[in-house]
Amino acid sequence: MESTVHRPTLRKRNVLFALLLCLTALLSSLATKLYLTNVPESQELSQTYLYRLQFEASPKYKANLDYVGANPWDVMTTYRRLTDKFPYTKSPGGIPKKIFQMWITPGKLNESTIPYPEYRQTWREKNPHHEYRMLSGEDLKRAVKSAFEHTVPEVWEAMDTMPLMILQSDFSRYLMLFLEGGVWADLDTTCDRPISKWYHNLVDYDIRFVGSVEHDVNDESWPSLTSRRLQFENWAFTSDRFHPVLAMVIAHVVRMHFTVMYSGNLNMYSDDSETKACNRLSVIDWTGPGVFSDGIYRYMNEAENRELLEIEFNRHNANEELYGPGTSDKINWRGFSGLKAPVIFNNDVCILPKSGFRCTSDFDESVEEYCYLTHHFARSWFSEVE
């Protein structure tokens, strides 16, 4: 008798429970749909979007209010966060008179163990009015942590989780010049002309960032020879502090690093020689001149006004067929291919021809008009991945 009385009640409960499940599913579906309307279609189901959800669910993100609004996979988000926290105003008197070099080894620097003392001396002797600073790995990490841990923490997280010194070396040079301004030069470079005689210090333009072409391979086989059709080198450059071109470069490095980190490939170097040979290129794209070039190009293309001023209209390859990828970008590799003289962007950024930061071994100031330093290509960074 009891069972016949309670069966209808039990059935009603089951129906109500089923309806509740359906309603919950429906509301969840609507909420998800509403949320996704704020996500670009290209990211809606992408791996990057899933990484971002994982990032926002992490204890580190939840515990640090400085992460709010961060999206390390979106270059422009990181760029805006950097330029908001470190607003750019031109330094009085031009680019700060500082020269930075580094020797990253465990522990404190020992002057006697730092290589190329004769190279370093050229920077001191030719530039007596510049402050010269040799930085250790500890110096760099301390400065980056102090500046970014509570402002744009994804930048510090990227630096702190890079597994190789070469990656930290590349990244920290962008960060140090962003924070301080001055000249960056690798240890295996020699200064052939005083910085006061470099092009940007001899003209009336208010130039605040100077880089140089590294590779300009005008051959249909260029993809097998270089990372970019026209790539800018990162062994030497000069910049004002907080310059937005470096903010853009830093944002590109952050995106690349977080992509690698969240895909689980931080330790991508193995004992296999063929794998290492391939992964050498990944250094270029991860933190090196490949991603450095991407940042410079992106900065130019994001500018509201874009004006390229050529000092010399004749190009080395003026009569050659140009090989290279098509692009919809207004400023691209074609604007810098075959340079014989500097090109100035918006009276602010100067790109030197290939010889600019790569003088010949028998440098002659009388014939090398736009040449300022020699890179000796010691390639010491390769020892870390070989």
Side-chain angles (χ1 to χ4, degrees), residues 371-384:
C371 182
Y372 307 107
L373 64 88
T374 299
H375 186 214
H376 298 277
F377 293 99
R379 298 165 76 86
S380 59
W381 69 273
F382 265 69
S383 62
E384 192 180 355

Side-chain angles (χ1 to χ4, degrees), residues 28 40 47 63 113 150 155 175 177 179-180 187 194 237 267 274 283 292 295 310 321 362 381:
S28 176
Q47 192 67 46
T113 63
H150 298 297
V155 173
L175 296 169
L177 251 63
L179 294 174
E180 301 246 5
L187 282 179
F237 55 96
N267 299 311
E274 291 185 5
V283 173
F292 182 63
E310 299 198 30
E321 178 183 356
D362 55 345
W381 69 273

Side-chain angles (χ1 to χ4, degrees), residues 76-246:
M76 293 309 296
T77 296
T78 306
Y79 173 78
R80 283 189 291 268
R81 282 167 59 79
L82 282 164
T83 54
D84 286 346
K85 295 293 185 181
F86 302 93
Y88 174 57
T89 55
K90 294 183 177 181
S91 299
I95 295 173
K97 289 180 170 57
K98 299 179 182 180
I99 300 169
F100 292 96
Q101 295 191 295
M102 76 169 78
W103 182 241
I104 298 183
T105 55
K108 294 184 179 180
L109 285 177
N110 184 336
E111 183 75 18
S112 64
T113 63
I114 301 174
Y116 319 121
E118 67 281 11
Y119 295 171
R120 286 184 278 126
Q121 191 59 26
T122 66
W123 289 99
R124 292 189 177 103
E125 288 180 351
K126 291 183 181 294
N127 305 287
H129 301 296
H130 278 66
E131 175 190 353
Y132 177 88
R133 289 174 61 185
M134 174 64 66
L135 301 169
S136 68
E138 291 179 0
D139 294 331
L140 292 163
K141 279 211 162 187
R142 190 182 307 112
V144 174
K145 183 176 183 179
S146 175
F148 296 105
E149 185 179 23
H150 298 297
T151 54
V152 193
E154 58 269 36
V155 173
W156 164 239
E157 184 177 350
M159 176 72 172
D160 191 40
T161 54
M162 285 180 175
L164 297 173
M165 283 192 294
I166 176 55
L167 301 173
Q168 295 175 12
S169 170
D170 278 336
F171 195 28
S172 58
R173 69 189 61 190
Y174 314 141
L175 296 169
M176 283 305 298
L177 251 63
F178 178 73
L179 294 174
E180 301 246 5
V183 174
W184 171 266
D186 277 4
L187 282 179
D188 57 349
T189 63
T190 50
C191 183
D192 295 310
R193 274 196 181 118
I195 296 168
S196 61
K197 293 185 179 181
W198 292 11
Y199 177 79
H200 69 284
N201 283 320
L202 300 176
V203 293
D204 291 334
Y205 307 108
D206 195 12
I207 295 168
R208 297 305 178 107
F209 178 89
V210 182
S212 177
V213 173
E214 178 182 20
H215 294 307
D216 180 13
V217 182
N218 191 30
D219 188 281
E220 58 186 357
S221 63
W222 71 266
S224 64
L225 302 172
T226 181
S227 177
R228 304 293 186 276
R229 166 59 181 84
L230 189 143
Q231 185 167 285
F232 305 122
E233 51 74 34
N234 75 338
W235 61 70
F237 55 96
T238 181
S239 176
D240 203 351
R241 69 193 302 258
F242 303 155
H243 198 291
V245 74
L246 285 180

Side-chain angles (χ1 to χ4, degrees), residues 248-309:
M248 190 67 81
V249 169
I250 293 165
H252 274 77
V253 174
V254 168
R255 179 181 65 174
M256 179 63 72
H257 180 73
F258 270 76
T259 299
V260 172
M261 181 167 61
Y262 274 73
S263 64
N265 290 325
L266 274 183
N267 299 311
M268 58 196 305
Y269 294 85
S270 70
D271 293 330
D272 181 78
S273 59
E274 291 185 5
T275 301
K276 286 196 296 182
C278 292
N279 283 338
R280 284 175 186 160
L281 179 63
S282 72
V283 173
I284 294 172
D285 290 327
W286 193 338
T287 57
V291 72
F292 182 63
S293 302
D294 293 345
I296 295 173
Y297 283 126
R298 180 72 174 270
Y299 168 75
M300 293 180 179
N301 280 288
E302 292 290 338
E304 186 174 345
N305 300 305
R306 294 179 290 268
E307 180 183 358
L308 273 180
L309 176 65

Side-chain angles (χ1 to χ4, degrees), residues 53-65 67 157 262:
L53 291 180
Q54 183 182 350
F55 166 69
E56 291 178 347
S58 67
K60 181 180 289 189
Y61 179 90
K62 290 181 176 180
N64 189 346
L65 292 177
Y67 274 105
E157 184 177 350
Y262 274 73

